[in-house]
Amino acid sequence: MQLPLLPADVLDSSALSQALDGGANPIRLYKDVLGRASRALDTRFVEGADVRELVWMRAAVVDAVLSQAWRRIEWPGSPAACLIAVGGYGRGELHPQSDIDLLILLEREDPALDAQLEKIITLFWDMGLHIGHSVRTVEECISNARDDITVATNLMESRLLQGPDALYQRMKTQTGPDKIWPSAAFFRAKWDEQIGRHRKYNDTEYNLEPNIKTCPGGLRDIQMVGWVIKRHFGADTLRDLVDHGFITEIEYSTLSEGQAYLWRIRYALHMITGRAEDRLLFDHQRNVAELLGFEHSENNQGIEQFMRSYFRWAMMLSELNDQLLQHFDETILRACEPENILELNARFRVRNNYIEASNDRVFKTYPPALLEIFLLMARHDGIQGVRAATIRLIRANRHLVDDAFRADPRNQQLFIEILRAQHKVSEQVQRMKRYGILGRYIPAFGKIIGQMQFDLFHIYSVDAHTLLVLANMRRLRKPDMQESFPIAHSIVQRLPKIELLYLAGLFHDIAKGRKGDHSTLGAVDAREFCLLHGLGSRDANLVAWLVEHHLMMSSTAQRKDISDPDVIREFALEMGDTTHLDYLYVLTVADINATNPTLWNSWRDSLLRQLYTEAKRMLRRGLEHHIDKRDWVADTQEAAIGKLAIKGFTRDQIIALWGNPGDDYFLRETANDIVWHTEAIAAHAKPDQPLILIKEAFDSQFQQATQIFIRMPDRNGIFATVAATLEQLDLSIVDARIFTTESNYVVDTFYVLDANGQPLSSNTQRIKKIHDTLQDALENPEALKTLVQRYTPRKLKYFRMPTETIFAQNEQRGCTVLEIITPDRPGILARIGRIFINQNIRLLNAKITTLGERVDDIFFITNARGQMITDTAQQDTLRAAICEALDSGANKQDTGTQGAIRV
């Protein structure tokens, strides 16, 4: 390609030559020239110059400097050598910190050239350039390119900078599509490469920290189109696609403007970070938004506007990439296939497994066809996709989806039938969104497209998360999901109306970003939509109920004591019947797994399964047959006593060993675990020293975590000591059961997971290390002062969420419930435990919940006399201490129990 002429304030080539001829220090001169040029281009960028000109001019500057340096090296007359730009630099594209990829092409290998080659490469590095280089002969280029499509791609995009053109042309000819990588094989390999790349990002453009180069809808997708046209047509620019009739002027404009938009972001990232950075991390989003002119306010509106703008461009580019690759597939890969045509109806047919409109006026003459095409794909499993020309027709006619279209009973029926279809429903809904139909048919959904969720656990935009929920619901039907999600897999097979589940998934977050409770607002939208689409009031009410209560099950399982029969009964009352429970369970599982991959672990799974099973049992038994807590306690005690009696214990011995730990102990612990505890207590020879038990396997089907049981004389600081020690061992506490006996012994159980969110394996050495470390820490708590130092996670620095504390009174249990919501960071539990010591607070129980990078922990506490904390002054003092300890140290490095230790 022909790079632009350089203005004098960027580079004066004549002046550079004269200075070199005059004996100036070449390295210092080259550095000065490159530095001045870079500053001039950056100034133009800030002033709003066209980024395309800046990128091309930067490449032209480097061309000029490298060429000057090459010409001043004394090269022997034979063999010939060429300096060639390859890769992105070969395309004439250079951002501030981009690598400069070079090929030194040799006619043949010759040791006489080694000294010169070493000299020129060293000079390039001494200039301060980020050089990536290879030295090859033509034969080596052919061999390497044949084996590696990346090498072939780089050579295809090359430009000759210096050296004999004949040698360069020989290399180009010998690595062309008629010699290696013919266009069909090249396209297939590149398409597979793109599929794999997109899969890494869950096939969505909407990652909250996107890589603007490699994510779907990123620069690589545009380059992919360019590579194919170069290989197949020998074209040089995207503009040539218009001449070949592959795209319209409007589509070319979208590609061109989209590339320029992404280039501006990339240029800004390079300027801000001072390195070749393509990840739009939270660290950089505010600065990039400001540099691109998005105005900020206290609620981050500038960032949200910028990211929404990015997501919409990414979606448009993905849509166009999809259309063009389908066109290439038809033209390149399937050009010689015999045509197999199946007429579906008067409007659509299937040509070689891809659906197409029968004529160009199908959508204009019969607008419902804009939905019918997706229904046909959902009914015919063999249809692999939409032909490119029909994708273009959909895009050209999607404006027909208006109020009249939405009110048409034919379209309403078509939409519901899509959700009821057998095949690839989530894939069709995803296509509807990508082709611009879904956001128009459901305007409320259109408003959440590209909407970020600035919180600490969502990693996708609202619409991307919603479609992942739908995809998860469909995935749960597959046989291979039975092992991972046995209850959800079983439920979806028997749900009477699966489309109601999908509607709840589509609407559960549709009111995000509006003022008010999004669950309540979304429920109103969902009910109106269902009634408008001919669903009965019972079905509409069920969908609306699911949307309104979609957070209830996860909240109950993670924040309440689900071993308490009163909690189960309260939850079951909200469900009303097993139908509501079934639908809500599947929605909850699909929702959590579509929010953030780190949220789902064996413990969260077990909590939901336990809540579902206990609530279902209560609903089947009848809510009027309520089990009294005293009966529950008595049943557990008698079951444990019976098992221990078989082992030779008398009732009096058992009661004495228990020491009356309180009713909660018998409510929350199973009979089998109580037997395990009791036997160990009886065998413990030194009751004044800690008894520590660690169990990796469970009798219960629910408790999917490793259990650590500790019994020792009560004293201040046990919880803080255990929390800090487990952090040191890289274990996370997911539940803590704190009991104190009348004989003044603590009987505590901690459920923990490893760094991967899984129970510990049966590694005896690891379990022994945990046991010994806990034993030492509990016997010598002062040793915690030497714990390793840890830092606040990167993302937390960019979310200013102050710690929130909520007090409530639990009259039945005679305790105060303290809820603490704060960004996750090292050391939270140890800090809170230390505060409880300093404030003379007794900890009875704890529910530990981490949602992504947000902590929502609940503590059941009393004052030193075992009474509820009702005094507002004492509550305010405790609240102030917690907020001061957690918020003031949020971005600091700490040590020990006073330090950054988070479990």
Side-chain angles (χ1 to χ4, degrees):
M1 67 174 294
Q2 183 66 43
L3 294 180
L5 295 175
L6 295 170
D9 68 314
V10 176
L11 177 66
D12 186 335
S13 296
S14 298
L16 174 60
S17 295
Q18 291 175 8
L20 289 168
D21 292 340
N25 182 303
I27 293 177
R28 183 179 302 167
L29 182 60
Y30 289 138
K31 279 187 172 182
D32 289 346
V33 166
L34 290 168
R36 283 197 303 271
S38 184
R39 289 189 293 273
L41 294 174
D42 290 350
T43 299
R44 290 176 180 232
F45 177 79
V46 173
E47 293 172 349
D50 189 332
V51 71
R52 289 167 285 202
E53 292 293 328
L54 303 181
V55 167
W56 295 330
M57 280 196 282
R58 191 176 296 273
V61 168
V62 174
D63 281 4
V65 171
L66 295 183
S67 296
Q68 287 272 13
W70 180 274
R71 288 195 297 267
R72 291 175 185 275
I73 296 289
E74 294 183 5
W75 297 96
S78 181
C82 291
L83 180 64
I84 299 171
V86 296
Y89 178 40
R91 294 191 300 270
E93 303 167 8
L94 269 187
H95 289 263
Q97 301 296 328
S98 293
D99 288 341
I100 298 163
D101 294 324
L102 297 171
L103 166 65
I104 297 178
L105 181 65
L106 305 179
E107 187 175 32
R108 64 178 183 276
E109 292 185 1
D110 191 330
L113 288 175
D114 290 350
Q116 311 304 97
L117 293 174
E118 183 178 351
K119 184 176 181 181
I120 193 67
I121 294 300
T122 300
L123 177 59
F124 291 163
W125 276 105
D126 289 343
M127 293 177 189
L129 296 174
H130 304 294
I131 297 293
H133 77 282
S134 59
V135 180
R136 299 189 182 108
T137 63
V138 173
E139 289 70 26
E140 288 172 330
C141 286
I142 297 169
S143 175
N144 291 335
R146 182 181 290 114
D147 296 337
D148 188 342
I149 195 171
T150 302
V151 175
T153 305
N154 280 344
L155 297 179
M156 183 178 67
E157 298 188 299
S158 61
R159 288 185 299 117
L160 177 65
L161 301 179
Q162 291 292 313
D165 184 65
L167 177 59
Y168 171 68
Q169 293 300 333
R170 182 154 64 91
M171 181 275 293
K172 289 283 286 183
T173 301
Q174 293 299 312
T175 57
D178 58 334
K179 300 293 184 181
I180 61 172
W181 288 106
S183 59
F186 182 86
F187 173 57
R188 180 73 265 173
K190 282 297 182 182
W191 201 357
D192 288 342
E193 187 180 273
Q194 175 174 296
I195 291 170
R197 176 165 46 83
H198 285 186
R199 191 171 293 125
K200 293 179 181 178
Y201 302 99
N202 273 326
D203 292 305
T204 178
E205 302 87 355
Y206 301 136
N207 295 276
L208 295 192
E209 290 187 302
N211 185 309
I212 63 167
K213 183 177 180 181
T214 58
C215 271
L219 286 167
R220 192 66 89 198
D221 283 5
I222 301 175
Q223 292 163 4
M224 167 71 177
V225 174
W227 292 330
V228 174
I229 66 169
K230 285 180 181 180
R231 200 70 182 174
H232 188 67
F233 298 114
D236 290 324
T237 67
L238 293 173
R239 185 72 179 77
D240 294 329
L241 278 176
V242 180
D243 299 333
H244 286 284
F246 269 72
I247 60 174
T248 65
E249 286 284 355
I250 293 176
E251 290 165 343
Y252 166 71
S253 177
T254 299
L255 276 177
S256 179
E257 293 302 316
Q259 182 185 61
Y261 182 82
L262 295 178
W263 276 4
R264 283 188 62 77
I265 297 175
R266 193 182 194 201
Y267 199 111
L269 276 171
H270 284 206
M271 281 184 61
I272 290 166
T273 63
R275 62 179 184 272
E277 179 62 85
D278 295 318
R279 298 167 301 163
L280 198 48
L281 303 177
F282 292 129
D283 313 42
H284 314 315
Q285 288 174 7
R286 176 178 292 276
N287 291 333
V288 172
E290 290 175 348
L291 198 53
L292 298 188
F294 291 88
E295 295 184 359
H296 294 279
S297 62
E298 291 183 0
N299 57 359
N300 285 335
Q301 285 299 314
I303 293 179
E304 291 177 9
Q305 292 169 16
F306 162 56
M307 292 304 297
R308 190 159 193 169
S309 172
Y310 164 79
F311 288 138
R312 289 186 178 273
W313 270 111
M315 185 178 70
M316 284 191 290
L317 292 171
S318 281
E319 179 184 332
L320 199 48
N321 172 270
D322 186 27
Q323 174 189 315
L324 292 175
L325 294 192
Q326 177 57 37
H327 201 350
F328 293 148
D329 180 38
E330 297 165 9
T331 305
I332 299 173
L333 293 184
R334 302 173 184 267
C336 298
E337 286 185 359
E339 288 199 338
N340 182 9
I341 299 176
L342 171 66
E343 299 289 343
L344 296 176
N345 57 32
R347 291 170 294 279
F348 296 103
R349 58 177 170 250
V350 178
R351 184 189 300 271
N352 292 356
N353 299 322
Y354 281 80
I355 195 169
E356 66 178 6
S358 58
N359 62 72
D360 291 349
R361 296 188 55 79
V362 161
F363 300 118
K364 286 184 179 179
T365 57
Y366 187 69
L370 287 166
L371 289 178
E372 181 187 25
I373 187 172
F374 300 104
L375 177 58
L376 290 171
M377 284 189 284
R379 284 180 171 172
H380 298 269
D381 193 28
I383 299 177
Q384 296 178 11
V386 186
R387 287 182 68 85
T390 302
I391 295 175
R392 180 176 289 148
L393 283 176
I394 293 172
R395 296 175 65 231
N397 290 280
R398 58 193 177 190
H399 65 278
L400 297 173
V401 182
D402 54 15
D403 287 342
F405 184 99
R406 290 186 284 271
D408 190 329
R410 294 174 299 177
N411 297 326
Q412 295 165 359
Q413 184 64 26
L414 283 168
F415 188 86
I416 295 300
E417 287 302 319
I418 290 171
L419 298 184
R420 289 173 176 159
Q422 286 294 108
H423 307 295
K424 302 177 182 176
V425 170
S426 63
E427 186 176 318
Q428 305 319 321
V429 176
Q430 174 68 47
R431 277 200 180 98
M432 290 169 67
K433 191 204 84 168
R434 177 160 291 185
Y435 298 161
I437 301 299
L438 185 62
R440 285 173 168 80
Y441 189 73
I442 308 178
F445 189 89
K447 292 178 181 178
I448 61 170
I449 291 178
Q451 180 177 314
M452 292 187 70
Q453 303 185 75
F454 271 101
D455 57 37
L456 291 171
F457 54 97
H458 285 91
I459 65 169
Y460 305 112
S461 62
V462 182
D463 57 314
H465 161 72
T466 298
L467 294 187
L468 279 174
V469 169
L470 190 59
N472 286 342
M473 290 171 172
R474 293 291 296 180
R475 198 174 294 123
L476 288 170
R477 298 162 61 97
K478 296 182 178 180
D480 58 356
M481 291 291 103
Q482 185 171 4
E483 182 176 351
S484 301
F485 302 96
I487 294 178
H489 173 76
S490 174
I491 290 173
V492 295
Q493 310 301 323
R494 65 174 188 267
L495 285 179
K497 296 180 180 180
I498 193 70
E499 68 273 15
L500 303 184
L501 178 67
Y502 300 155
L503 283 166
L506 275 174
F507 279 86
H508 81 287
D509 275 351
I510 206 162
K512 282 281 184 77
R514 301 188 212 167
K515 293 182 179 179
D517 184 343
H518 79 280
S519 299
T520 303
L521 296 173
V524 174
D525 289 354
R527 190 173 191 278
E528 290 178 354
F529 185 89
C530 291
L531 292 175
L532 182 65
H533 284 70
L535 275 66
S537 59
R538 178 178 295 183
D539 290 344
N541 289 338
L542 173 57
V543 173
W545 182 89
L546 288 168
V547 172
E548 185 172 3
H549 296 88
H550 73 272
L551 298 174
M552 176 182 286
M553 192 164 203
S554 60
S555 176
T556 301
Q558 294 168 150
R559 300 171 62 192
K560 294 186 178 181
D561 184 0
I562 58 176
S563 63
D564 187 335
D566 288 341
V567 171
I568 299 298
R569 187 170 190 275
E570 179 185 351
F571 177 75
L573 282 169
E574 290 287 350
M575 298 299 103
D577 56 50
T578 56
T579 299
H580 284 71
L581 177 64
D582 283 346
Y583 276 101
L584 184 61
Y585 179 80
V586 178
L587 174 59
T588 302
V589 171
D591 189 16
I592 293 175
N593 279 275
T595 299
N596 186 326
T598 64
L599 289 183
W600 190 258
N601 56 33
S602 60
W603 178 253
R604 192 161 280 121
D605 178 23
S606 68
L607 290 178
L608 288 174
R609 285 192 284 122
Q610 181 176 354
L611 177 58
Y612 173 84
T613 303
E614 297 293 349
K616 187 172 184 178
R617 182 181 295 120
M618 185 166 287
L619 286 166
R620 285 181 169 176
R621 185 173 56 239
L623 295 173
E624 69 278 6
H625 298 106
H626 178 46
I627 295 180
D628 188 88
K629 280 188 180 181
R630 289 170 295 182
D631 294 336
W632 190 309
V633 169
D635 287 347
T636 302
Q637 288 177 337
E638 290 305 316
I641 289 172
K643 293 175 183 291
L644 288 166
I646 295 173
K647 298 175 181 287
F649 290 88
T650 67
R651 177 179 289 269
D652 289 342
Q653 286 176 319
I654 296 168
I655 298 299
L657 288 169
W658 286 346
N660 193 8
D663 286 352
D664 280 353
Y665 175 75
F666 298 101
L667 281 171
R668 301 198 72 197
E669 302 289 358
T670 66
N672 285 336
D673 282 340
I674 292 170
V675 170
W676 176 49
H677 300 165
T678 308
E679 287 186 287
I681 293 169
H684 190 49
K686 299 179 179 179
D688 59 326
Q689 294 182 4
L691 165 65
I692 301 172
L693 307 176
I694 301 175
K695 185 164 64 170
E696 186 266 334
F698 301 98
D699 298 325
S700 169
Q701 61 173 312
F702 304 122
Q703 297 171 345
Q704 301 298 310
T706 296
Q707 190 175 1
I708 299 176
F709 173 77
I710 298 172
R711 182 182 186 271
M712 63 181 293
D714 191 16
R715 62 168 169 76
N716 282 340
I718 292 176
F719 178 80
T721 299
V722 172
T725 305
L726 293 176
E727 161 66 16
Q728 185 184 36
L729 293 164
D730 204 18
L731 297 172
S732 297
I733 298 176
V734 293
D735 198 5
R737 302 177 178 182
I738 314 297
F739 310 107
T740 304
T741 69
E742 285 187 351
S743 53
N744 207 34
Y745 274 82
V746 294
V747 185
D748 296 348
T749 301
F750 296 87
Y751 290 90
V752 301
L753 299 176
D754 65 15
N756 297 316
Q758 298 297 322
L760 299 177
S761 65
S762 54
N763 184 328
T764 55
Q765 289 186 334
R766 176 90 191 275
I767 291 175
K768 185 177 186 303
K769 180 181 179 182
I770 294 169
H771 178 281
D772 293 348
T773 305
L774 277 170
Q775 184 97 28
D776 183 62
L778 289 168
E779 292 178 356
N780 306 285
E782 66 279 358
L784 289 175
K785 295 179 181 178
T786 62
L787 283 178
V788 295
Q789 296 176 335
R790 296 179 182 269
Y791 293 86
T792 300
R794 172 185 61 82
K795 290 183 180 180
L796 297 185
K797 300 176 183 178
Y798 306 97
F799 289 94
R800 300 292 182 242
M801 188 182 85
T803 296
E804 180 182 1
T805 59
I806 302 170
F807 288 89
Q809 305 304 327
N810 188 323
E811 300 284 350
Q812 288 183 327
R813 299 182 65 175
C815 66
T816 296
V817 181
L818 169 63
E819 182 176 4
I820 300 177
I821 304 170
T822 189
D824 189 18
R825 65 185 72 94
I828 288 179
L829 287 184
R831 288 168 181 259
I832 294 171
R834 181 60 59 182
I835 292 168
F836 289 164
I837 295 171
N838 296 337
Q839 299 282 331
N840 291 316
I841 300 297
R842 291 183 61 192
L843 177 62
L844 306 181
N845 208 342
K847 291 285 288 183
I848 312 302
T849 303
T850 302
L851 300 172
E853 282 81 28
R854 191 189 78 182
V855 167
D856 193 341
D857 292 346
I858 297 175
F859 302 90
F860 300 84
I861 58 177
T862 68
N863 60 23
R865 298 185 301 277
Q867 302 168 335
M868 293 187 295
I869 304 171
T870 56
D871 181 64
T872 55
Q874 187 177 5
Q875 290 180 5
D876 290 342
T877 300
L878 181 57
R879 177 184 291 110
I882 291 170
C883 293
E884 170 65 22
L886 300 186
D887 292 344
S888 65
N891 296 310
K892 296 178 182 178
Q893 167 187 311
D894 294 296
T895 309
T897 57
Q898 299 296 327
I901 305 168
R902 164 65 192 164
V903 285

